[in-house]
Structures are given as structure tokens and as C-alpha cells.
Amino acid sequence: MALQDVCKWQAPGTQGPSSPHLPRAGGWAMPPGWDPQTFLRIHGPRLAHGTTTLAFRFRHGVIAAADTRSSCGNYVQCPASCKIIPVHQHLVGTTSGTSADCAAWYRVLRRELRLRALRDGQLPSVAGAAKLLSAMMSCYRGLDLCVATALCGWDRSGPALFYVYSDGTRLQGNIFSVGSGSPYAYGVLDRGYRYDMSPQEAYALARCAVAHATHRDAYSGGSVDLFHVRENGWEYVSRNDAYVLYSELQKLPEPGKEEEEEARWDQPEPVTLHRDSRMPVETEML
């Protein structure tokens, strides 16, 4: 009786709301918001998400770096979130997309990799982990799942890097950057990346790329987290303030300017011959 009054349902042929008859299946009057996905699509605010994550492979392992600001629209949800998640001793992953989806699927990936290690006696390769994650998430294609990750690891074949998206996309490469700040990070990475870099050069390049991205991208910021995956496992290198990093980078000379200055000073100065007015001018007699 009370539920019928709340739903304002009336049986056919009755005058009042208090009727002893129950409605047929699907006849209940549902309150607004009973379907959150539809309700938010129609009435919810348009929120923009943003982040900057990157990873690249080089001779000494794989570097993973990311900013720490978790933002949604014009609101900063968490200024010190960690967007690089360790999976096991030789595998980490960057996270971009919906934070809850990323955290949930990395828990699933940890469980599945642990079960396979117990069954097979060894952990799957980085390619196997990427293939497993891609296959699991592809079953939920079209259900608003949003996970974009770069799996960074070291296995029997050496350093490996894979990009996996929630629709099942799986790519292997040397450089990946994901998030709203990725175009700015790619600009720095494409200019300074070399496979035979030293670890210190790789650290500087990753910090520079994320710092420049946070300066240009409104949805990225906070600090810069840096991880290095080596043969003996992953290492948490540092966390630096992005604004301080960018300010320090602005004080450094551009890499090409010093070389241009040295080349200009190494060149001999051109010699100009001119006639001294005090010297007598010889004239030929005709």
C-alpha cells in the first residue's frame, strides 16, 4: 500500500491511490536517476578529464613517468595521486582514464598473473601480460570502460613496453604517451630520445617531457613521478614538483644554442681588404 502511494500507481478502474492490486511487470513508476548512466548523460555536467603519462624503452630498461594531479573538469580531485601502479617486481603500468576502472583492472591483472605463476611455475612475459589484459577488457567493449595504460617491464627477452586500451587495442613500441598532455610530451620525447641513453639522461628527458606537458596542459600538474624498470626489478626514482622542474628548465640554455655558438667562434673571421687613404695611389702613365 505504502509503496503504491510513493510510486503514485493506480490500478485501472480505481479512484484512489490505495488499491490492493499490484501492477504488472514493468509497470512501476521509477524515480528519476534509477539508471545512473542515462541520468548523467542527460542531466549531468560535462566533465573533462586530463593527465600526462609517458613511458619509453632504452638500453638500460624502461622509464615510466606521470604527473600526480587527478582532475575532473575544473576541479582538482587529488593533487598527489599515484598514476604508476606496480604489478609485480618486474612490471609496472601507467594509468590514464577513469581512476576506478584502472585500479580495478590492475587488481584483476595482479590476480591473474599470480595464478598463472602458481600454475606454470613462472610469471608470464610482458607481452603475455599485455595480451591477457587486452583480452579481458575487450569483453566489456561498448560499456563505457575507460582504461589506457602502458605496461613497462623486463622479462627474459629484455626490456619491453606495450600500450593497452580498454577496447582491446594492444601495441608494442619504444615510446608511448597517454593523456591530454601527451601531444606536448611527444614533442619533447621525439626531439631528445635515443635508445643508447644513460640512465641519468633518461631521467632528465622524462622529467622534462612531463614538466613541459604540465605547463601547457590545464588538466595536468602537481608533481612528476619517475619509475625505472631494470633487470633486477622496478625502482621508484623520485617525485619532483612540476612547477619547480619547469622553472629550472627555463634557466638552462637550449641544447642547440651552445653548439651553434661554438661552431660560430671556430669559423675564421672573413678578411676585408680596404685601401688606406694615407697610402699613395700609383697611377699608370699613358
Side-chain angles (χ1 to χ4, degrees):
M1 302 290 290
L3 184 58
Q4 297 179 43
D5 295 340
V6 170
C7 296
K8 298 180 181 181
W9 177 83
Q10 295 182 10
T14 60
Q15 297 293 331
S18 300
S19 173
H21 303 285
L22 293 177
R24 296 183 301 273
W28 291 105
M30 304 303 294
W34 70 274
D35 184 3
Q37 183 176 356
T38 305
F39 182 81
L40 289 175
R41 187 184 301 116
I42 299 174
H43 304 286
R46 302 296 181 183
L47 299 179
H49 303 268
T51 185
T52 299
T53 64
L54 62 88
F56 58 86
R57 186 174 70 99
F58 71 120
R59 184 177 59 181
H60 300 283
V62 185
I63 297 294
D67 72 316
T68 61
R69 175 186 291 176
S70 178
S71 60
C72 187
N74 296 326
Y75 303 97
V76 178
Q77 296 175 336
C78 179
S81 61
C82 187
K83 301 179 183 178
I84 303 176
I85 300 178
V87 180
H88 57 70
Q89 184 181 0
H90 292 86
L91 182 65
V92 300
T94 65
T95 58
S96 179
T98 305
S99 299
D101 291 342
C102 293
W105 278 104
Y106 266 101
R107 286 197 298 268
V108 173
L109 181 62
R110 285 198 201 101
R111 181 195 66 196
E112 294 296 326
L113 293 180
R114 178 59 177 162
L115 289 174
R116 294 202 175 195
L118 292 173
R119 184 175 64 243
D120 302 335
Q122 62 181 4
L123 285 167
S125 63
V126 181
K131 185 176 182 179
L132 175 62
L133 181 61
S134 172
M136 290 190 299
M137 291 194 299
S138 63
C139 300
Y140 296 86
R141 184 183 305 169
L143 297 180
D144 289 340
L145 181 65
C146 186
V147 177
T149 179
L151 288 174
C152 317
W154 192 300
D155 53 23
R156 293 175 296 276
S157 61
L161 177 60
F162 284 84
Y163 167 77
V164 180
Y165 188 59
S166 50
D167 63 354
T169 302
R170 176 169 52 95
L171 302 172
Q172 183 179 11
N174 289 332
I175 303 175
F176 288 114
S177 182
V178 189
S180 57
S182 59
Y184 311 107
Y186 269 126
V188 178
L189 291 174
D190 289 341
R191 182 179 180 182
Y193 172 77
R194 300 190 328 273
Y195 186 79
D196 58 347
M197 287 186 296
S198 66
Q200 295 303 323
E201 290 175 334
Y203 298 163
L205 177 62
R207 292 190 184 107
C208 179
V210 179
H212 277 81
T214 57
H215 179 73
R216 292 295 180 184
D217 180 37
Y219 302 108
S220 302
S223 301
V224 180
D225 278 340
L226 188 63
F227 281 71
H228 184 184
V229 184
R230 303 174 183 267
E231 186 177 4
N232 57 353
W234 61 265
E235 174 191 358
Y236 182 38
V237 179
S238 65
R239 169 174 283 192
N240 303 97
D241 186 87
Y243 177 76
V244 175
L245 278 177
Y246 184 79
S247 301
E248 293 176 352
L249 291 172
Q250 291 299 105
K251 298 176 183 178
L252 297 176
E254 294 184 7
K257 276 191 174 181
E258 292 183 352
E259 297 177 0
E260 292 177 1
E261 289 291 330
E262 292 177 359
R264 188 170 65 86
W265 285 108
D266 289 342
Q267 293 179 357
E269 295 185 1
V271 178
T272 56
L273 299 177
H274 58 87
R275 179 178 296 176
D276 193 345
S277 58
R278 293 173 299 178
M279 296 288 292
V281 179
E282 296 182 359
T283 59
E284 184 179 357
M285 299 297 294
L286 297 175

